[in-house]
Amino acid sequence: GILDEIIVNIDGLIQDQYGNYVVQHVIQYGRPEDRLVVVQGVNANLLSMAQHKFASNVVEKCLQYGNQEQKTTIIDEVTKPSSLEPAKEGEETTSTLLIMIKDQYANYVIQKVIDLADQRQLENIMTELRAHLVQVKRCTYGKHILARMEKATGQKV
């Protein structure tokens, strides 16, 4: 059927200016098994999808309409702590979360993540934000993220 055609071309559709709407529709109204295929595809390339103008909307839809396990998988990927390796001379440590906060599209995904995260995930985000507070405050979208976190947790970052 038509959904099988969509699933076969999912990666291209997710990043297409019109195709992303088709994929969002599948996430919102499709069968659970089709939604799973989309969420798995998104999760496999989460960072690049979140940084893409059109695909970032699909990532947000996955967070909004995925089941609890699917949401948790995506949020855990975003909130995993940065590597414990010390930064090389002249470099700053980084993490998926930090990269996404600095991105013009991915920061919206982070805002959605904050709205949906459980206590453990919010604590991971808070730890990461506090560890890189200077960098976060310096970036354009950082203030939005900090305000969202303070609203979600009731505590100052």
Side-chain angles (χ1 to χ4, degrees), residues 9 12 20-21 25-26 29 46 59 64-65 76-77 80 84 88 105 118 120 122 132 134 149:
N9 298 302
N20 82 88
Y21 291 106
H25 193 85
V26 170
Y29 303 107
L46 186 62
V59 177
Q64 194 173 350
Y65 291 100
D76 281 347
E77 182 61 31
K80 69 181 180 203
L84 299 173
K88 292 179 181 68
Y105 304 115
D118 64 27
R120 174 187 59 84
L122 284 172
H132 303 283
V134 175
M149 269 306 280

Side-chain angles (χ1 to χ4, degrees), residues 9 19 40 60 91 111 135 137:
N9 298 302
Q40 287 172 334
E60 286 186 58
E91 286 181 23
Q111 291 179 49
Q135 278 180 276
K137 282 183 174 174

